[in-house]
Amino acid sequence: MIYLVLSVLASTLIFIIFKLFSKYHVDTLQAIVVNYIVASISGIIAYSEPIDLPSISGKEWFYGAMILGIIFISVFNLMAITTQRNGLSVAAVATKMSLVIPIVFGIIVYQESTGITKIVGILIALIAVYLTSIKTTGGIPITKKNLIFPLLVFIGSGIIDTSIKFLETHYVSKNDIPVFSATVFGFAAIVGIITLASKAITGTLKIAFKNIIAGIILGVPNYFSIYFLIQALRHDSMDSSTVFTINNVAILLVSTLAGILFFKEKLIPKNWIGIILAIISIILVAFSI
């Protein structure tokens, strides 16, 4: 359970840092690329064995980590587009609702428990995600022409969580968790560097020192959010559907509370109902263990 708590705290810290990005006008793309580099280096430092690139490329999880890294940065860009075209609430709902995908995967593929208490908890969690994320009394508007973007965020986020579960179950040994995480972030960084290089060629890239500092600050908690999540998934007392439900809902809950405390965010009645339901869902799912 401690790893799950640490994963939630690390992910909440990421949320707080992202909020500061907008306050200090940080170029998100530049910061994200630096963040992936720092996260990759963090994993290399945490790896207890000497780094041998040929042996790493021979690991069974290597190509999976490569694909996962590409999906990481692709989903991030899709989230940015979704936020710009449909609003932050739509992006938040699409991201958190994606927990359905790894939950269904865990139940079907790994025959994980599906007791009534757990099912009710998961359904309440989904309602809580929606109610906590919306920021207007009218709900979440999505135009038909922009529907594809939140849909891709939903699918991409679900694939990320499902892939992490699949790879850590079948291919990643306990000792390899740091270097596996480093490899995922490393490939995300490579894609990001290529993107920045293309901007430099076209003359649209303006690197600012504050973007680099922001990326460094973001990189460490980003690495540990994945590291602790993988450790939580390996815990014998909780199956993946339980971990993903509690993790996603708790991140949304703690992030919302952090927004109130640190950024003086105002909540509408639906948000408060969502917070109450989030707490209930976590209790029900945790009780079903």
Side-chain angles (χ1 to χ4, degrees):
M1 184 63 77
I2 184 62
Y3 287 120
L4 187 54
V5 172
L6 291 172
S7 175
V8 171
L9 292 176
S11 297
T12 301
L13 184 55
I14 291 173
F15 160 80
I16 293 173
I17 294 171
F18 269 124
K19 293 288 288 186
L20 292 172
F21 277 12
S22 59
K23 180 179 179 180
Y24 292 101
H25 306 290
V26 171
D27 184 297
T28 308
L29 178 60
Q30 291 182 30
I32 283 293
V33 175
V34 174
N35 141 80
Y36 284 139
I37 295 172
V38 172
S40 183
I41 293 172
S42 298
I44 292 172
I45 293 173
Y47 192 43
S48 59
E49 300 177 15
I51 297 296
D52 181 4
L53 292 180
S55 67
I56 291 176
S57 63
K59 297 282 188 181
E60 291 183 296
W61 46 257
F62 179 77
Y63 292 105
M66 178 177 66
I67 295 171
L68 199 51
I70 295 171
I71 296 175
F72 258 56
I73 196 165
S74 299
V75 170
F76 165 75
N77 286 323
L78 287 169
M79 287 175 63
I81 295 172
T82 302
T83 300
Q84 292 165 2
R85 300 197 179 191
N86 295 106
L88 182 59
S89 296
V90 176
V93 170
T95 303
K96 296 306 176 186
M97 282 289 191
S98 68
L99 66 87
V100 170
I101 296 175
I103 286 174
V104 171
F105 181 84
I107 291 172
I108 294 176
V109 176
Y110 300 114
Q111 288 81 48
E112 294 178 354
S113 61
T114 54
I116 186 64
T117 302
K118 184 176 184 178
I119 292 174
V120 171
I122 291 173
L123 292 175
I124 292 177
L126 295 175
I127 298 172
V129 166
Y130 178 80
L131 292 177
T132 307
S133 299
I134 58 177
K135 299 303 178 185
T136 61
T137 54
I140 297 180
I142 304 178
T143 58
K144 285 186 178 180
K145 67 177 182 178
N146 291 325
L147 181 61
I148 185 63
F149 297 110
L151 181 61
L152 289 174
V153 170
F154 171 82
I155 295 172
S157 298
I159 289 175
I160 287 174
D161 286 343
T162 303
S163 300
I164 288 174
K165 169 60 182 175
F166 179 78
L167 291 171
E168 72 86 17
T169 298
H170 297 283
Y171 301 112
V172 182
S173 66
K174 185 175 182 179
N175 292 336
D176 278 353
I177 293 177
V179 74
F180 166 75
S181 303
T183 304
V184 172
F185 288 122
F187 277 108
I190 290 171
V191 175
I193 290 170
I194 293 172
T195 303
L196 291 180
S198 66
K199 284 180 171 290
I201 293 172
T202 57
T204 57
L205 178 64
K206 295 182 179 179
I207 297 178
F209 183 69
K210 67 178 179 181
N211 301 329
I212 297 174
I213 296 300
I216 293 172
I217 294 172
L218 179 63
V220 176
N222 197 10
Y223 164 75
F224 281 108
S225 68
I226 297 299
Y227 174 82
F228 290 135
L229 176 61
I230 295 175
Q231 291 286 14
L233 287 168
R234 301 182 80 92
H235 202 282
D236 295 333
S237 66
M238 291 187 292
D239 54 35
S240 65
S241 55
T242 298
V243 171
F244 284 123
T245 301
I246 295 177
N247 187 66
N248 278 271
V249 176
I251 290 171
L252 185 63
L253 176 61
V254 179
S255 297
T256 300
L257 296 177
I260 297 171
L261 291 173
F262 301 119
F263 302 102
K264 310 303 180 185
E265 292 184 351
K266 304 297 182 182
L267 302 186
I268 62 176
K270 287 181 180 179
N271 298 148
W272 288 110
I273 295 172
I275 289 174
I276 294 171
L277 291 177
I279 295 171
I280 293 173
S281 70
I282 290 173
I283 293 173
L284 288 175
V285 174
F287 185 75
S288 69
I289 296 176

